Amino acid sequence: MVNFSLEGKVALVTGASYGIGFALATAFAQAGAKIVFNDIKPELVEKGLAAYEAEGIKAHGYVCDVTKEDQVDAMVAQIEKEVGVIDILVNNAGIIKRIPMHEMSAADFRQVIDIDLNGPFIVSKAVIPSMIKKGHGKIINICSMMSELGRETVSAYAAAKGGLKMLTRNIASEYGEYNIQCNGIGPGYIATPQTAPLREKQADGSRHPFDAFIVAKTPAARWGTPEDLMGPAVFLASEASDFVNGHILYVDGGILAYIGKQPK
Ligand code: NAP
Ligand code: GCO
């Protein structure tokens, strides 16, 4: 029988106090998994723990910066001791900086690469040895439309998310023989705090031009919600996807399939 259950599994979702990570962890809990998350600030971990509790979920929260190898190694060891070996990892923590490339400092560029690309490398590296020992593992990298497309002001983010797509394929290639599947989810434009500046109402009450642009560019004719990503994530975390490896599942309301509307 097809098995979407995550009963008895331990799932670590990085940066999951709110937004997309919170929705994915909630979906995993609904499918039976024990939930572990981290965030970079203690107050966010506290906020996250309260939000999970409000959903009736007992989550385990840790303060940890995904770019710091020593912090990540210590967190993974603590999770193994306190909760169990991690069966499912979602590399969700990420940032964006919207700055024209010719005005962007190298330090800003490096920071985006560090969190969005080096972070998934560091956390994946920390969980893979125990997954090998256990004989299975699922790694899901949260990619982006910018794993495929460019646009003005997001050079560092696009470089990181394009790199994350290839890191996904490489983890799949390198560890598939150990029954570890590494896939990506490429969310379309999702309404979260990260994209709030792109949806801000104009002074005259009209929609932000980017908001109108995205709705026109999306065959589904709307922004996505974190909830839209829940089903695909459970699929990629479950045994139902055991022969799916190195794939990026775009959950974008059809953006990548669409040439766009003819101008009026
Ligand atoms: P979000 O609302 O900004 O949440 C990201 C979380 O990651 C925040 O809790 C953030 O904490 C945390 N974080 C940042 N740096 C960290 C670090 N070094 N270590 C640990 N945690 C850290 O973002 P979101 O919109 O939910 O996006 C989640 C993921 O989906 C990101 O990778 C993003 O690039 C990707 N994504 C988003 C969209 C979209 O349309 N929203 C589309 C495609 C992909 P702080 O609040 O302190 O920064
Ligand atoms: C932007 C957006 C995007 C989205 C997302 C798209 O400024 O273009 O923030 O990059 O967040 O990653 O999939």
Side-chain angles (χ1 to χ4, degrees):
M1 207 175 85
V2 65
N3 188 4
F4 292 100
S5 169
L6 303 182
E7 209 60 55
K9 305 285 186 198
V10 175
L12 167 63
V13 185
T14 66
S17 303
Y18 63 90
I20 290 174
F22 179 81
L24 302 187
T26 300
F28 292 165
Q30 289 166 358
K34 285 188 200 156
I35 299 311
V36 186
F37 72 99
N38 73 294
D39 223 309
I40 190 166
K41 299 180 200 127
E43 59 273 24
L44 273 179
V45 172
E46 288 309 316
K47 200 175 132 191
L49 286 171
Y52 286 108
E53 204 179 317
E55 295 293 320
I57 298 165
K58 179 173 171 6
H60 303 259
Y62 297 87
V63 179
C64 172
D65 180 340
V66 296
T67 67
K68 305 277 187 293
E69 204 165 1
D70 52 340
Q71 289 185 24
V72 169
D73 289 346
M75 175 181 71
V76 169
Q78 209 179 339
I79 294 168
E80 290 194 358
K81 214 163 78 189
E82 293 174 357
V83 192
V85 169
I86 295 160
D87 301 285
I88 301 158
L89 164 67
V90 181
N91 284 308
N92 168 76
I95 62 163
I96 191 166
K97 286 179 191 269
R98 298 182 185 98
I99 305 169
M101 190 179 126
H102 66 284
E103 292 170 8
M104 190 170 206
S105 68
D108 277 339
F109 192 92
R110 280 198 195 100
Q111 192 195 358
V112 175
I113 300 287
D114 208 22
I115 297 172
D116 293 4
L117 182 56
N118 295 344
F121 159 74
I122 289 169
V123 187
S124 301
K125 187 185 155 192
V127 302
I128 284 171
S130 293
M131 287 180 170
I132 292 176
K133 269 196 214 131
K134 210 172 173 182
H136 73 85
K138 299 277 186 183
I139 299 176
I140 302 171
N141 290 327
I142 304 303
C143 297
S144 166
M145 293 290 88
M146 271 65 224
S147 300
E148 299 293 337
L149 303 170
R151 88 171 187 86
E152 57 283 4
T153 76
V154 298
S155 57
Y157 186 78
K161 295 295 187 178
L164 187 57
K165 173 179 72 177
M166 285 314 300
L167 180 65
T168 303
R169 291 182 181 161
N170 214 84
I171 294 172
S173 307
E174 203 164 344
Y175 298 102
E177 66 176 300
Y178 300 101
N179 192 26
I180 294 172
Q181 290 83 46
C182 180
N183 292 290
I185 290 182
Y189 278 81
I190 310 294
T192 69
Q194 194 234 54
T195 52
L198 306 175
R199 281 175 285 107
E200 249 166 34
K201 283 253 185 312
Q202 302 296 277
D204 64 0
S206 63
R207 294 171 87 154
H208 192 295
F210 195 85
D211 179 0
F213 163 69
I214 283 302
V215 172
K217 193 79 186 107
T218 308
R222 64 171 175 87
W223 283 71
T225 65
E227 290 70 30
D228 287 319
L229 305 169
M230 290 167 101
V234 170
F235 166 63
L236 291 178
S238 73
E239 282 177 16
S241 62
D242 275 359
F243 204 54
V244 180
N245 208 0
H247 186 79
I248 311 297
L249 176 48
Y250 289 102
V251 185
D252 64 354
I255 297 180
L256 289 178
Y258 186 35
I259 194 169
K261 261 193 188 60
Q262 177 190 293
K264 284 192 181 124

Coordinates of all heavy atoms in Angstrom, one line a residue, residues 82-154:
E82 N 18.3 13.8 22.6 CA 17.1 14.2 23.2 C 15.8 13.7 22.5 O 14.8 13.5 23.1 CB 17.0 15.7 23.4 CG 18.0 16.2 24.4 CD 18.1 17.8 24.5 OE1 17.4 18.4 23.7 OE2 18.9 18.2 25.3
V83 N 15.9 13.6 21.1 CA 14.7 13.3 20.3 C 14.9 12.0 19.5 O 14.0 11.1 19.5 CB 14.4 14.4 19.4 CG1 13.0 14.2 18.8 CG2 14.4 15.8 20.0
G84 N 16.1 11.8 18.9 CA 16.4 10.6 18.1 C 17.2 11.0 16.9 O 17.4 12.2 16.6
V85 N 17.6 10.0 16.1 CA 18.3 10.2 14.9 C 17.4 10.9 13.9 O 16.2 10.5 13.7 CB 18.9 8.9 14.3 CG1 19.4 9.1 12.9 CG2 20.0 8.4 15.3
I86 N 17.9 11.9 13.2 CA 17.1 12.7 12.2 C 16.9 11.8 11.0 O 17.8 11.4 10.3 CB 17.8 14.0 11.9 CG1 17.9 14.9 13.2 CG2 17.1 14.7 10.7 CD1 18.9 16.0 13.1
D87 N 15.6 11.6 10.7 CA 15.2 10.8 9.5 C 15.0 11.8 8.3 O 15.2 11.4 7.1 CB 13.9 10.0 9.7 CG 14.0 9.1 10.8 OD1 14.7 8.0 10.7 OD2 13.5 9.4 11.9
I88 N 14.5 13.0 8.6 CA 14.1 13.9 7.6 C 14.7 15.3 7.9 O 14.6 15.8 9.0 CB 12.6 14.1 7.5 CG1 11.9 12.7 7.3 CG2 12.1 15.1 6.5 CD1 10.4 12.7 7.8
L89 N 15.4 15.8 6.9 CA 16.0 17.2 7.1 C 15.4 18.1 6.0 O 15.4 17.7 4.8 CB 17.5 17.2 6.9 CG 18.1 18.6 6.7 CD1 18.0 19.5 8.0 CD2 19.6 18.4 6.3
V90 N 14.9 19.2 6.4 CA 14.5 20.2 5.4 C 15.4 21.5 5.6 O 15.4 22.1 6.7 CB 13.0 20.7 5.6 CG1 12.6 21.7 4.5 CG2 12.1 19.5 5.5
N91 N 16.2 21.8 4.6 CA 17.0 23.0 4.6 C 16.1 24.1 4.2 O 16.0 24.4 2.9 CB 18.2 22.8 3.7 CG 19.2 21.9 4.4 OD1 19.7 22.2 5.5 ND2 19.7 20.9 3.7
N92 N 15.5 24.8 5.1 CA 14.5 25.9 4.8 C 15.1 27.3 5.1 O 14.7 28.2 4.5 CB 13.3 25.6 5.6 CG 12.3 26.8 5.6 OD1 11.6 27.1 4.7 ND2 12.3 27.6 6.7
A93 N 15.9 27.4 6.2 CA 16.4 28.7 6.6 C 17.0 29.4 5.4 O 17.8 28.9 4.7 CB 17.4 28.6 7.7
G94 N 16.6 30.7 5.2 CA 17.2 31.4 4.1 C 16.9 32.9 4.2 O 16.0 33.3 5.0
I95 N 17.7 33.7 3.5 CA 17.4 35.1 3.5 C 17.5 35.6 2.0 O 18.0 34.9 1.2 CB 18.4 36.0 4.3 CG1 19.9 35.8 3.8 CG2 18.3 35.6 5.8 CD1 20.8 36.9 4.3
I96 N 17.0 36.8 1.8 CA 17.2 37.4 0.5 C 17.6 38.9 0.7 O 17.2 39.5 1.7 CB 15.8 37.4 -0.3 CG1 16.1 37.8 -1.8 CG2 14.7 38.2 0.3 CD1 14.9 37.4 -2.7
K97 N 18.4 39.4 -0.2 CA 18.7 40.8 -0.1 C 18.4 41.3 -1.6 O 19.0 40.8 -2.5 CB 20.2 41.1 0.2 CG 20.5 40.8 1.7 CD 22.0 41.1 2.0 CE 22.3 40.6 3.4 NZ 22.2 41.6 4.4
R98 N 17.5 42.3 -1.6 CA 17.2 42.8 -3.0 C 17.9 44.1 -3.2 O 17.5 45.2 -2.8 CB 15.6 43.1 -3.1 CG 14.8 41.8 -2.9 CD 13.3 42.0 -3.0 NE 12.6 40.7 -2.7 CZ 12.1 40.4 -1.5 NH1 12.1 41.3 -0.5 NH2 11.5 39.3 -1.3
I99 N 19.1 44.0 -3.9 CA 20.0 45.2 -4.1 C 20.5 45.0 -5.6 O 21.0 43.9 -5.9 CB 21.2 45.1 -3.1 CG1 20.7 45.1 -1.7 CG2 22.1 46.3 -3.4 CD1 21.8 44.8 -0.7
P100 N 20.4 46.1 -6.4 CA 21.0 45.9 -7.7 C 22.5 45.5 -7.6 O 23.2 45.9 -6.7 CB 21.0 47.4 -8.3 CG 19.9 48.1 -7.5 CD 19.9 47.4 -6.1
M101 N 22.9 44.5 -8.5 CA 24.2 43.9 -8.3 C 25.3 44.9 -8.3 O 26.3 44.7 -7.5 CB 24.4 42.8 -9.4 CG 25.6 42.0 -9.2 SD 25.8 40.7 -10.5 CE 27.4 41.1 -11.0
H102 N 25.3 45.9 -9.1 CA 26.4 46.8 -9.2 C 26.5 47.7 -7.9 O 27.5 48.4 -7.7 CB 26.4 47.7 -10.5 CG 25.2 48.6 -10.5 ND1 23.9 48.2 -10.8 CD2 25.1 50.0 -10.3 CE1 23.1 49.3 -10.8 NE2 23.8 50.3 -10.5
E103 N 25.4 47.6 -7.1 CA 25.5 48.4 -5.8 C 25.7 47.5 -4.6 O 25.8 47.9 -3.5 CB 24.2 49.2 -5.6 CG 24.0 50.3 -6.6 CD 22.6 50.9 -6.6 OE1 21.8 50.5 -5.7 OE2 22.3 51.7 -7.5
M104 N 25.7 46.2 -4.8 CA 25.8 45.2 -3.7 C 27.2 45.1 -3.3 O 28.1 44.9 -4.1 CB 25.2 43.9 -4.2 CG 25.0 42.9 -3.1 SD 24.1 41.5 -3.7 CE 23.3 40.9 -2.2
S105 N 27.4 45.1 -1.9 CA 28.8 44.8 -1.4 C 29.1 43.3 -1.5 O 28.2 42.5 -1.4 CB 28.9 45.3 0.0 OG 28.1 44.5 0.9
A106 N 30.4 43.0 -1.6 CA 30.8 41.6 -1.6 C 30.4 41.0 -0.3 O 30.0 39.8 -0.2 CB 32.3 41.5 -1.8
A107 N 30.4 41.7 0.8 CA 30.0 41.2 2.1 C 28.5 40.8 2.1 O 28.1 39.7 2.6 CB 30.2 42.2 3.2
D108 N 27.6 41.6 1.5 CA 26.2 41.2 1.4 C 26.0 40.0 0.6 O 25.2 39.1 0.9 CB 25.4 42.4 0.8 CG 25.0 43.4 1.9 OD1 25.0 43.1 3.1 OD2 24.7 44.6 1.5
F109 N 26.7 39.9 -0.6 CA 26.6 38.8 -1.5 C 27.1 37.5 -0.7 O 26.3 36.5 -0.7 CB 27.5 39.0 -2.7 CG 27.3 38.0 -3.8 CD1 26.4 38.3 -4.8 CD2 28.0 36.8 -3.8 CE1 26.2 37.4 -5.9 CE2 27.8 35.9 -4.9 CZ 26.9 36.2 -5.9
R110 N 28.2 37.6 0.0 CA 28.7 36.4 0.7 C 27.7 36.0 1.8 O 27.5 34.8 2.0 CB 30.0 36.8 1.4 CG 31.2 36.7 0.5 CD 32.5 36.6 1.3 NE 33.6 36.9 0.4 CZ 34.2 38.1 0.3 NH1 33.9 39.1 1.1 NH2 35.2 38.3 -0.6
Q111 N 27.1 36.9 2.5 CA 26.1 36.6 3.5 C 25.0 35.7 3.0 O 24.5 34.8 3.6 CB 25.6 37.8 4.3 CG 24.9 37.4 5.6 CD 24.1 38.6 6.2 OE1 24.0 39.7 5.6 NE2 23.4 38.3 7.3
V112 N 24.4 36.1 1.8 CA 23.3 35.4 1.3 C 23.8 34.0 0.9 O 23.1 33.0 1.2 CB 22.7 36.2 0.0 CG1 21.7 35.3 -0.6 CG2 22.2 37.5 0.5
I113 N 24.9 33.9 0.2 CA 25.5 32.6 -0.2 C 25.7 31.7 1.1 O 25.5 30.5 1.1 CB 26.8 32.7 -0.9 CG1 26.6 33.5 -2.2 CG2 27.4 31.4 -1.2 CD1 25.9 32.9 -3.3
D114 N 26.2 32.4 2.1 CA 26.5 31.7 3.4 C 25.3 31.0 4.0 O 25.3 29.8 4.3 CB 27.2 32.6 4.4 CG 28.1 31.9 5.3 OD1 28.6 30.8 4.9 OD2 28.4 32.5 6.4
I115 N 24.2 31.8 4.1 CA 23.0 31.2 4.7 C 22.3 30.3 3.8 O 21.8 29.2 4.1 CB 22.1 32.4 5.2 CG1 22.8 33.2 6.3 CG2 20.8 31.8 5.8 CD1 22.1 34.4 6.7
D116 N 22.1 30.7 2.5 CA 21.2 30.0 1.6 C 21.9 28.8 0.9 O 21.2 27.9 0.4 CB 20.7 30.9 0.5 CG 19.8 32.0 1.1 OD1 19.6 32.1 2.3 OD2 19.2 32.8 0.3
L117 N 23.2 28.8 0.9 CA 23.9 27.6 0.2 C 24.9 26.9 1.1 O 24.8 25.7 1.3 CB 24.6 28.1 -1.1 CG 25.4 27.1 -1.9 CD1 24.4 26.0 -2.3 CD2 26.0 27.7 -3.1
N118 N 25.7 27.6 1.8 CA 26.7 27.0 2.7 C 25.9 26.3 3.9 O 26.3 25.3 4.4 CB 27.7 28.0 3.3 CG 28.6 28.5 2.2 OD1 28.7 27.9 1.1 ND2 29.3 29.6 2.5
G119 N 24.8 27.0 4.3 CA 24.0 26.5 5.4 C 23.5 25.1 5.1 O 23.7 24.1 5.9
P120 N 22.8 24.9 4.0 CA 22.3 23.5 3.6 C 23.5 22.5 3.5 O 23.3 21.3 3.9 CB 21.6 23.7 2.3 CG 21.1 25.1 2.3 CD 22.2 25.9 3.1
F121 N 24.6 22.9 3.0 CA 25.8 22.0 3.0 C 26.2 21.6 4.4 O 26.3 20.4 4.7 CB 27.0 22.7 2.3 CG 28.3 22.1 2.6 CD1 28.7 20.9 2.1 CD2 29.2 22.7 3.5 CE1 29.9 20.3 2.4 CE2 30.4 22.2 3.8 CZ 30.8 20.9 3.3
I122 N 26.3 22.6 5.3 CA 26.7 22.3 6.7 C 25.7 21.4 7.4 O 26.1 20.4 8.1 CB 27.0 23.6 7.4 CG1 28.2 24.3 6.9 CG2 27.1 23.4 8.9 CD1 28.4 25.8 7.3
V123 N 24.4 21.7 7.3 CA 23.5 20.9 8.0 C 23.3 19.5 7.4 O 23.3 18.5 8.1 CB 22.1 21.6 8.1 CG1 21.2 20.8 9.1 CG2 22.2 23.0 8.6
S124 N 23.3 19.4 6.1 CA 23.2 18.1 5.4 C 24.4 17.2 5.8 O 24.3 16.0 6.2 CB 23.2 18.2 3.9 OG 22.1 19.0 3.5
K125 N 25.6 17.8 5.8 CA 26.8 17.1 6.1 C 26.8 16.5 7.6 O 27.2 15.4 7.8 CB 28.0 18.1 6.0 CG 29.3 17.6 6.2 CD 30.4 18.7 6.2 CE 31.6 18.2 7.0 NZ 32.5 19.2 7.3
A126 N 26.1 17.3 8.4 CA 26.0 16.9 9.8 C 25.0 15.7 10.0 O 25.2 14.9 11.0 CB 25.6 18.1 10.7
V127 N 24.0 15.6 9.2 CA 23.0 14.5 9.4 C 23.3 13.3 8.6 O 22.8 12.2 8.9 CB 21.6 15.0 9.2 CG1 21.2 16.2 10.0 CG2 21.3 15.3 7.7
I128 N 24.1 13.4 7.5 CA 24.2 12.3 6.6 C 24.9 11.0 7.3 O 24.4 9.9 7.1 CB 25.0 12.7 5.3 CG1 24.0 13.5 4.4 CG2 25.6 11.5 4.5 CD1 24.6 14.2 3.2
P129 N 25.9 11.2 8.1 CA 26.6 10.0 8.7 C 25.5 9.1 9.4 O 25.5 7.9 9.3 CB 27.6 10.5 9.6 CG 28.0 11.9 9.0 CD 26.7 12.4 8.4
S130 N 24.7 9.7 10.2 CA 23.7 8.9 11.0 C 22.6 8.3 10.1 O 22.1 7.2 10.3 CB 23.0 9.8 12.1 OG 23.9 10.1 13.0
M131 N 22.3 9.0 9.0 CA 21.3 8.5 8.0 C 22.0 7.3 7.3 O 21.3 6.3 7.1 CB 21.0 9.5 6.9 CG 20.1 10.7 7.4 SD 19.7 11.9 6.1 CE 18.4 12.8 6.9
I132 N 23.2 7.3 7.0 CA 23.9 6.2 6.4 C 23.8 5.0 7.4 O 23.4 3.9 7.0 CB 25.4 6.5 6.1 CG1 25.4 7.5 4.9 CG2 26.1 5.2 5.7 CD1 26.8 8.0 4.5
K133 N 24.1 5.2 8.7 CA 24.1 4.1 9.6 C 22.7 3.6 9.8 O 22.5 2.4 9.9 CB 24.5 4.7 11.0 CG 26.0 4.6 11.3 CD 26.3 4.8 12.7 CE 27.7 5.5 12.9 NZ 27.7 6.6 13.7
K134 N 21.7 4.5 9.7 CA 20.3 4.0 9.9 C 19.8 3.3 8.7 O 18.8 2.6 8.8 CB 19.5 5.2 10.3 CG 18.3 4.9 11.2 CD 17.6 6.1 11.7 CE 16.3 5.6 12.5 NZ 15.5 6.7 12.9
G135 N 20.4 3.6 7.5 CA 19.9 2.9 6.3 C 18.9 3.6 5.5 O 18.4 3.1 4.6
H136 N 18.6 4.9 5.9 CA 17.7 5.7 5.1 C 17.7 7.1 5.6 O 18.2 7.5 6.7 CB 16.2 5.2 5.2 CG 15.6 5.5 6.6 ND1 15.0 6.7 6.8 CD2 15.5 4.8 7.7 CE1 14.6 6.7 8.1 NE2 14.8 5.6 8.6
G137 N 17.3 8.0 4.7 CA 17.2 9.4 5.0 C 16.6 10.2 3.9 O 16.6 9.8 2.8
K138 N 16.0 11.3 4.3 CA 15.3 12.2 3.3 C 15.9 13.7 3.6 O 15.8 14.2 4.7 CB 13.8 12.3 3.5 CG 13.1 10.9 3.4 CD 12.8 10.7 1.9 CE 12.0 9.4 1.7 NZ 11.8 9.1 0.3
I139 N 16.4 14.3 2.5 CA 16.8 15.7 2.6 C 16.0 16.5 1.6 O 16.0 16.1 0.4 CB 18.3 15.8 2.4 CG1 19.1 15.0 3.5 CG2 18.8 17.3 2.4 CD1 20.6 15.0 3.3
I140 N 15.4 17.5 2.1 CA 14.6 18.4 1.1 C 15.2 19.8 1.2 O 15.2 20.4 2.3 CB 13.1 18.4 1.6 CG1 12.5 17.0 1.6 CG2 12.3 19.3 0.6 CD1 11.1 16.8 2.2
N141 N 15.6 20.3 0.1 CA 16.2 21.6 0.0 C 15.2 22.6 -0.5 O 14.6 22.3 -1.6 CB 17.5 21.6 -0.8 CG 18.6 20.9 -0.2 OD1 18.7 20.9 1.0 ND2 19.4 20.2 -1.0
I142 N 15.0 23.7 0.2 CA 14.0 24.7 -0.3 C 14.7 25.6 -1.3 O 15.5 26.5 -0.9 CB 13.3 25.4 0.9 CG1 12.6 24.4 1.9 CG2 12.3 26.4 0.3 CD1 11.6 23.5 1.3
C143 N 14.4 25.3 -2.5 CA 15.0 26.1 -3.7 C 14.1 27.3 -4.0 O 13.5 27.9 -3.1 CB 15.2 25.1 -4.8 SG 16.3 23.8 -4.5
S144 N 13.9 27.6 -5.2 CA 13.2 28.9 -5.6 C 12.9 28.9 -7.1 O 13.5 28.2 -7.8 CB 14.1 30.0 -5.2 OG 13.7 31.2 -5.7
M145 N 12.1 29.8 -7.5 CA 12.0 30.2 -8.9 C 13.3 30.6 -9.4 O 13.7 30.4 -10.5 CB 11.0 31.4 -9.1 CG 9.5 31.1 -8.8 SD 8.8 30.0 -10.0 CE 9.1 28.4 -9.3
M146 N 14.1 31.2 -8.4 CA 15.4 31.7 -8.8 C 16.5 30.6 -8.9 O 17.6 30.9 -9.2 CB 15.9 32.8 -7.8 CG 15.4 34.2 -8.1 SD 13.6 34.4 -8.1 CE 13.4 35.3 -9.6
S147 N 16.0 29.4 -8.7 CA 16.9 28.2 -9.1 C 16.9 28.1 -10.6 O 17.8 27.4 -11.2 CB 16.4 26.9 -8.5 OG 16.4 27.0 -7.1
E148 N 15.9 28.7 -11.3 CA 15.8 28.6 -12.7 C 15.8 29.9 -13.4 O 16.2 30.0 -14.6 CB 14.4 27.9 -13.1 CG 14.3 26.5 -12.6 CD 15.2 25.5 -13.2 OE1 15.7 25.8 -14.4 OE2 15.5 24.5 -12.6
L149 N 15.3 31.0 -12.8 CA 15.1 32.3 -13.5 C 15.9 33.4 -12.8 O 16.1 33.3 -11.6 CB 13.6 32.7 -13.4 CG 12.6 31.7 -13.9 CD1 11.2 32.1 -13.6 CD2 12.7 31.6 -15.5
G150 N 16.3 34.4 -13.5 CA 16.9 35.5 -12.9 C 15.9 36.7 -12.9 O 14.8 36.7 -13.5
R151 N 16.2 37.7 -12.1 CA 15.5 39.0 -12.2 C 16.4 40.0 -11.5 O 17.3 39.7 -10.8 CB 14.1 38.9 -11.5 CG 14.0 39.1 -10.1 CD 12.5 39.2 -9.6 NE 12.4 39.6 -8.3 CZ 12.3 40.9 -7.8 NH1 12.4 41.9 -8.7 NH2 12.1 41.1 -6.6
E152 N 16.0 41.3 -11.8 CA 16.8 42.4 -11.2 C 16.8 42.3 -9.7 O 15.8 41.9 -9.1 CB 16.4 43.7 -11.7 CG 14.9 44.1 -11.5 CD 13.9 43.4 -12.4 OE1 14.2 42.6 -13.2 OE2 12.7 43.7 -12.2
T153 N 17.9 42.7 -9.1 CA 18.2 42.9 -7.7 C 18.4 41.6 -6.9 O 18.7 41.7 -5.7 CB 17.1 43.7 -6.9 OG1 15.9 42.8 -6.7 CG2 16.7 45.0 -7.6
V154 N 18.3 40.4 -7.4 CA 18.5 39.2 -6.6 C 19.6 38.3 -7.0 O 19.6 37.1 -6.9 CB 17.1 38.4 -6.5 CG1 16.0 39.2 -5.9 CG2 16.7 37.9 -7.9

